[in-house]
């Protein structure tokens, strides 16, 4: 890790933190009266972070595959805050399933509540899934892309974590295609720390899994696709050996 990249990383993180309330306040009047305003404010912040990452820390963001534009379930690998921004920016009408604590976060909580994101308590698994299904069913009057993280939390590149049953329940309930999403974003923007590695962060929208598969078959297929593609993206970075690969 070189000193110059450390300085760039710190400056990047500072400006991204400062800009969040600026954009939040700028869009607040529109967001308070319109869901479109809330979406626009969040998209403005996502695009700002992605743009500044390119020239401040030499981190380019690339979306591969074909993101859905109609109603769909999106099941994504989660390694970093960056992959959230990239997926959000790539989808026209996303609704994320989020841990309930985030509804109280300054600016973020108010915006995602207005956009009708779905909050669940990860500490109460059965109740969380029931609530999740009920809220998804109630929101079907509006087409959109429901984004869930099948492993339930961030995981470091190259690590294996179990895929939870909630995604399969939603897949059965919605009867919509499920788009697996792979990523290598955690290589460049890790879960902890300020250092940001230069390179190309990728989120890859893989071909959809059609509705109708049995639960166990769906989970196995989803995990195989996401993990295989994420490992391939890790190999592309040239630093797979740092994560126990090769």
């Amino acid at each position: 890790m070189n000193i110059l990249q450390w300085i760039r990383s710190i400056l990047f993180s500072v400006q991204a933190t400062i800009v969040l309330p600026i954009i939040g306040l700028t869009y607040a009047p529109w967001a308070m009266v319109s869901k479109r305003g809330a979406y626009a404010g969040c998209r403005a912040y996502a695009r700002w972070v992605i743009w500044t990452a390119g020239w401040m820390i030499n981190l380019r963001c690339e979306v591969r595959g074909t993101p859905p534009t109609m109603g769909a379930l999106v099941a994504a690998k989660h390694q970093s805050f960056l992959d959230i921004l990239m997926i959000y920016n790539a989808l026209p009408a996303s609704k994320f399933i989020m841990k309930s604590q985030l509804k109280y976060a300054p600016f973020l909580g108010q915006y995602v509540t207005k956009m009708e994101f779905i909050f669940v308590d990860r500490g109460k698994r059965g109740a969380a899934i029931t609530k999740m299904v009920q809220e998804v069913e109630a929101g079907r009057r509006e087409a959109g892309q429901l984004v869930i993280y099948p492993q339930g939390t961030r995981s470091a590149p190259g690590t294996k974590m179990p895929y939870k049953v909630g995604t399969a329940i939603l897949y059965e309930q919605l009867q919509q295609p499920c788009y697996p999403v792979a990523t290598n974003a955690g290589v460049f923007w890790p879960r902890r720390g300020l250092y940001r590695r230069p390179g190309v962060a990728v989120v890859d929208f893989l071909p959809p899994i059609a509705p109708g598969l049995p639960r166990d078959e769906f989970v196995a297929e989803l995990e195989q696709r996401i993990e295989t593609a994420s490992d391939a993206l890790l190999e592309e970075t040239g630093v797979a050996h740092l994560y126990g690969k090769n």
Side-chain angles (χ1 to χ4, degrees), residues 28-207:
W30 186 14
M32 285 190 295
V33 298
S34 170
K35 188 186 301 183
R36 287 182 60 192
Y39 269 101
C42 290
R43 200 171 303 281
Y45 182 72
R47 289 177 175 174
W48 175 268
V49 173
I50 290 169
W51 176 64
T52 54
W55 60 268
M56 289 191 73
I57 54 175
N58 294 322
L59 175 56
R60 184 166 63 86
C61 297
E62 179 180 324
V63 175
R64 297 180 185 173
T66 305
T69 57
M70 306 298 289
L73 180 63
V74 176
K77 186 76 170 177
H78 184 26
Q79 296 180 348
S80 167
F81 180 59
L82 180 60
D83 58 62
I84 296 176
L85 297 179
M86 293 173 67
I87 290 171
Y88 176 80
N89 192 49
L91 296 171
S94 60
K95 282 184 173 63
F96 282 68
I97 295 174
M98 310 175 71
K99 60 183 180 181
S100 57
Q101 296 93 320
L102 290 176
K103 72 169 66 175
Y104 305 109
F107 298 105
L108 175 64
Q110 290 78 14
Y111 272 74
V112 297
T113 298
K114 185 68 176 180
M115 293 187 289
E116 298 179 350
F117 281 24
I118 297 170
F119 298 100
V120 297
D121 186 347
R122 291 190 304 181
K124 299 177 181 178
R125 183 174 176 179
I129 292 172
T130 300
K131 183 174 184 291
M132 186 189 310
V133 171
Q134 290 173 344
E135 293 192 17
V136 169
E137 183 67 25
R140 289 179 101 178
R141 61 187 178 272
E142 292 186 11
Q145 303 82 44
L146 182 63
V147 183
I148 186 170
Y149 295 108
Q151 295 171 300
T153 189
R154 287 174 293 184
S155 60
T159 61
K160 304 294 183 184
M161 296 180 65
Y163 280 57
K164 298 183 178 181
V165 70
T167 305
I169 293 176
L170 287 173
Y171 170 77
E172 293 173 350
Q173 176 82 8
L174 292 172
Q175 288 296 299
Q176 292 177 338
C178 175
Y179 285 73
V181 180
T183 190
N184 62 8
V187 172
F188 308 98
W189 187 317
R191 180 176 182 177
R192 295 184 177 88
L194 291 175
Y195 187 80
R196 305 290 180 255
R197 188 187 300 276
V200 181
V202 177
V203 292
D204 189 0
F205 286 82
L206 306 172

